[in-house]
Amino acid sequence: MNGLAAFRLPSFVSLRALALLSVALNLFLGAMLLASRHPPGPPPYRPMPDRFVERIAPNLSDGDAARLRAAFEPQRARFAALSEEYRVAGQAVRALLESAPFDPQALRAAAEAARAKRRLISELTEETVFATLPDLSQAGRVRLIGSGRGF
C-alpha cells in the first residue's frame, strides 16, 4: 500500500471544502500582509475645543455633556485663532531646527513662544471649564474633575 492510499479524508470533509478553506486562508493572510505594509493614517484632525470636549463628554450625563458643549461653542473662534498661532509658532521651531547655521538661542526663544501659545490654549480651556462647573450637576462636576481625563 502506498502512502497516499493510506491517507483518507474524513467523510465530512471534501476536497471542495478544503480548497475553499485554503482560498479563504490565503485571502486573510494576504489582507493581513497588506495591512501591515500600509498602516492606517492618523485619525482625522479635530480642532480645539472639540478634541477636549469629545474626550470628556462620554463620562458625563447627556445634560451635562450638552452644557459643556454649549459652554465651549462661543469660544470656538478664539480657539481657532490660538490654534493657528500655535501651529505657526511650531513651524518656526521646525524651521530653526533645520536651519544652518544652527542658532540655539533663537530656537530656545521660538520654543518658548510656542509654549506660551500652548499655555494660552490650556488657560482658555480651564477658564471655560471653571465657568461651566456651576451649571453641571454635582455628579457631573465630580466626573469631570475626578475622571483623570480632564485635568
Side-chain angles (χ1 to χ4, degrees):
M1 194 183 261
N2 67 22
L4 290 177
F7 179 75
R8 293 196 182 260
L9 291 174
S11 61
F12 60 87
V13 177
S14 69
L15 286 177
R16 181 176 285 169
L18 285 176
L20 185 60
L21 181 65
S22 174
V23 168
L25 183 61
N26 283 326
L27 287 173
F28 173 75
L29 292 175
M32 293 296 292
L33 181 63
L34 186 63
S36 70
R37 293 196 183 266
H38 301 287
Y45 173 75
R46 291 180 24 191
M48 278 296 288
D50 296 338
R51 281 191 316 257
F52 174 79
V53 171
E54 295 311 318
R55 191 180 82 224
I56 301 299
N59 294 334
L60 303 174
S61 69
D62 291 342
D64 284 341
R67 285 188 274 290
L68 185 66
R69 287 183 183 102
F72 274 91
E73 192 59 36
Q75 302 293 346
R76 189 170 295 281
R78 181 71 178 129
F79 274 109
L82 287 172
S83 295
E84 178 62 18
E85 292 170 11
Y86 180 59
R87 186 188 66 75
V88 169
Q91 287 177 336
V93 169
R94 282 187 290 283
L96 286 168
L97 283 169
E98 296 171 352
S99 68
F102 178 68
D103 184 354
Q105 277 71 32
L107 177 63
R108 188 174 299 275
E112 179 53 41
R115 226 179 353 260
K117 297 298 179 188
R118 181 69 182 123
R119 270 194 304 271
L120 289 173
I121 293 171
S122 294
E123 289 169 5
L124 182 57
T125 302
E126 289 173 6
E127 288 305 315
T128 306
V129 168
F130 289 143
T132 306
L133 287 175
D135 299 331
L136 300 179
S137 66
Q138 180 183 9
R141 289 191 302 270
V142 170
R143 281 192 212 112
L144 178 67
I145 301 301
S147 70
R149 297 181 77 188
F151 294 98

